[in-house]
Amino acid sequence: MPRKFFVGGNFKMNGLLADIDRIVDHLNASHLDPNTEVLISPPAIYLLHVRDRVKKGIEVAAQNCYSEKQGAFTGEISPLQIADSGIPWVIIGHSERRTLFGDIDSVVAEKVRAALEEGLNIILCVGETLAQREAGETLKIVEHQLDCVKREIGPWAEVCHRIVIAYEPVWAIGTGKVASAAQAQEVHADTRTWLASHVGKEAAEDTRIIYGGSVSAKNCVELATQPDLDGFLVGGASLKPEFVDIINSHLKK
Ligand code: PGA
């Protein structure tokens, strides 16, 4: 089965209720490529509201979760609560979580395990910093981030259809400096090779590997032509009308 193109919008900590409604209403009114899986991830406080307002065919994701089911963890949201709220997806390991909130590799891996246990689908973010890229460590870093998750969750192949990998070079996020199509393809291809040897050939073929980092309506079409690039995780541009063009970029592939 060919991999279904996948485009997610990560609103981060942006938007008030009226803004979120405007974005959702615009998506609801737009023609979206039926062959692309579409997801939006509003701030946690708006998840249920967006779930109820968004049209069928657009999925909703939490931006983070904790690794416990419940308990004295003030300010956190559990995968159990996310699942119970009818939110089928969660983003885990976003670089802002890793760098600003102490989500080190082992924490990310525990969150992935906990989310899988509750039946959630996951966008697992990986990616290198500028210093790591300049030191020639990109592939090593990404593989290490994947290794940590593999060690924690065990038989990845059984759940591979529930894990979308988002390659998001940290230096490209929110900076306007997008990775070139060739830079993205290199890491995506390497990630697929890692999956083939550590998870299984079939899983490698089936897993969506999406790109994130300054994706815009201008650069998405060229990126989408890359053979191992199966979609996008979009930050800033997902708050704007051009998000629809990014969702539909696969049509132009
Ligand atoms: P950006 O963010 O599109 O604003 O660079 C991407 C992301 O953080 O997922």
Side-chain angles (χ1 to χ4, degrees):
M1 266 231 310
R3 297 182 294 271
K4 191 170 188 184
F5 207 69
F6 184 104
V7 177
N10 173 11
F11 297 177
K12 311 192 180 186
M13 202 177 72
N14 289 304
L16 304 181
L17 195 52
D19 307 309
I20 305 274
D21 281 351
R22 212 168 18 250
I23 295 167
V24 169
D25 291 348
H26 178 67
L27 288 173
N28 285 348
S30 299
H31 172 73
L32 307 179
D33 175 7
N35 294 316
T36 292
E37 195 166 341
V38 180
L39 167 155
I40 51 176
S41 188
I45 195 163
Y46 303 125
L47 279 169
L48 292 180
H49 176 73
V50 168
R51 181 203 64 185
D52 292 342
R53 193 174 181 106
V54 83
K55 73 176 171 187
K56 204 164 165 280
I58 300 179
E59 295 173 88
V60 181
Q63 296 176 10
N64 178 39
C65 67
Y66 194 52
S67 50
E68 297 291 333
K69 280 188 202 299
Q70 59 191 27
F73 305 105
T74 301
E76 294 295 311
I77 299 177
S78 81
L80 177 62
Q81 292 164 330
I82 295 170
D84 180 55
S85 300
I87 307 296
W89 285 87
V90 59
I91 300 171
I92 298 179
H94 190 279
S95 77
E96 285 145 22
R97 298 293 323 167
R98 292 178 187 263
T99 56
L100 301 173
F101 301 102
D103 284 11
I104 56 175
D105 289 334
S106 58
V107 169
V108 170
E110 283 166 16
K111 290 181 174 187
V112 172
R113 180 193 35 74
L116 285 172
E117 280 169 11
E118 300 306 334
L120 294 175
N121 303 296
I122 293 155
I123 299 175
L124 168 62
C125 301
V126 296
E128 83 289 1
T129 63
L130 185 58
Q132 289 163 337
R133 173 162 282 269
E134 286 173 349
E137 293 174 346
T138 299
L139 302 181
K140 192 179 93 185
I141 293 293
V142 170
E143 289 178 16
H144 177 73
Q145 291 169 339
L146 295 169
D147 276 330
C148 291
V149 172
K150 166 88 180 21
R151 268 200 303 277
E152 179 73 23
I153 69 171
W156 186 323
E158 287 166 23
V159 290
C160 70
H161 56 285
R162 287 168 50 207
I163 303 180
V164 169
I165 298 173
Y167 168 57
E168 300 208 298
V170 179
W171 48 271
I173 294 178
T175 58
K177 273 192 223 146
V178 66
S180 69
Q183 282 173 324
Q185 169 58 23
E186 184 196 16
V187 181
H188 284 233
D190 183 74
T191 300
R192 207 173 298 290
T193 303
W194 181 92
L195 283 167
S197 57
H198 293 79
V199 178
K201 278 212 171 67
E202 215 173 304
E205 275 312 303
D206 291 350
T207 298
R208 269 87 58 90
I209 306 173
I210 64 175
Y211 169 81
S214 296
V215 174
S216 69
K218 281 209 181 79
N219 58 37
C220 63
V221 176
E222 197 198 342
L223 285 162
T225 60
Q226 298 306 303
D228 287 297
L229 198 146
D230 306 311
F232 301 110
L233 185 57
V234 185
S238 70
L239 303 165
K240 301 178 190 161
E242 72 178 279
F243 186 46
V244 170
D245 299 320
I246 300 172
I247 291 169
N248 291 333
S249 60
H250 190 52
L251 287 171
K252 302 183 183 139
K253 201 167 175 173

